[in-house]
Amino acid sequence: MIRERGGNSVPAVFNTESQAASFIRARIAKGTVVRADEAASWDNLHERFEIKRINHQEAYSLDGACTNMAEEYFSGLRRSEIGIHHHIAGAYLLRYAQESSWREDNRRIPNGDQARRLAALAIKRGKYPRKIRGLRDYTAPGCHR
């Protein structure tokens, strides 16, 4: 998860934190101040960015080093997983991460404004084809033709 202070978040899914480091290098401008925990995976980011590191065994925030924005996002993602009573993994993990990111980025926008924005995007997108990714005749559960 990349979170910009006062901006939006960019979710992505990786098998390891070290894989995430290359994603970060490709998307953040050189010279940006990056905040990270003490995991060794972030060590190679020092060559391109100023990094403020935090050791969570010592403090949650210290001398400008803090990862609370990312931790808040992951906490919300875990709570949503508990709420649906199902483990999120595989092909669905990125979609859940993107939805959680959108919710976090838009949490201060009134629900009505969010709904109008989503409706406008859906109308702009247009009708979905009946055949989606090889599904021959899919109807959502509970829907009748």
Side-chain angles (χ1 to χ4, degrees):
M1 165 57 61
I2 301 173
R3 292 207 57 189
E4 179 182 25
R5 283 191 186 273
N8 290 326
S9 53
V10 180
V13 176
F14 305 98
N15 291 326
T16 65
E17 284 184 343
S18 56
Q19 290 174 336
S22 63
F23 178 83
I24 290 168
R25 276 193 305 278
R27 283 162 182 80
I28 299 178
K30 188 173 183 174
T32 298
V33 177
V34 174
R35 287 158 177 83
D37 60 21
E38 287 292 318
S41 310
W42 312 126
D43 289 347
N44 64 1
L45 294 176
H46 283 279
E47 64 194 39
R48 185 173 170 105
F49 308 105
E50 175 187 346
I51 299 191
K52 295 187 180 266
R53 307 287 288 265
I54 187 72
N55 180 339
H56 290 296
Q57 292 179 346
E58 295 176 12
Y60 288 104
S61 178
L62 184 65
D63 298 327
C66 176
T67 59
N68 288 348
M69 289 173 61
E71 298 294 341
E72 177 184 357
Y73 167 81
F74 290 120
S75 174
L77 188 60
R78 282 188 295 275
R79 282 192 312 272
S80 70
E81 184 177 36
I82 292 166
I84 61 172
H85 304 289
H86 184 72
H87 178 66
I88 304 167
Y92 302 105
L93 181 56
L94 179 59
R95 296 293 182 233
Y96 276 99
Q98 290 168 332
E99 178 186 355
S100 184
S101 173
W102 185 88
R103 288 175 184 266
E104 182 66 23
D105 293 346
N106 292 282
R107 70 189 183 280
R108 298 196 195 301
I109 296 172
N111 289 345
D113 292 347
Q114 289 180 18
R116 280 187 284 283
R117 181 175 173 207
L118 289 174
L121 289 171
I123 290 168
K124 183 178 176 181
R125 170 75 171 119
K127 186 177 179 181
Y128 280 93
R130 292 289 290 162
K131 294 182 181 177
I132 302 172
R133 293 189 187 194
L135 295 176
R136 294 203 173 121
D137 193 18
Y138 176 77
T139 303
C143 293
H144 304 284
R145 290 182 206 209

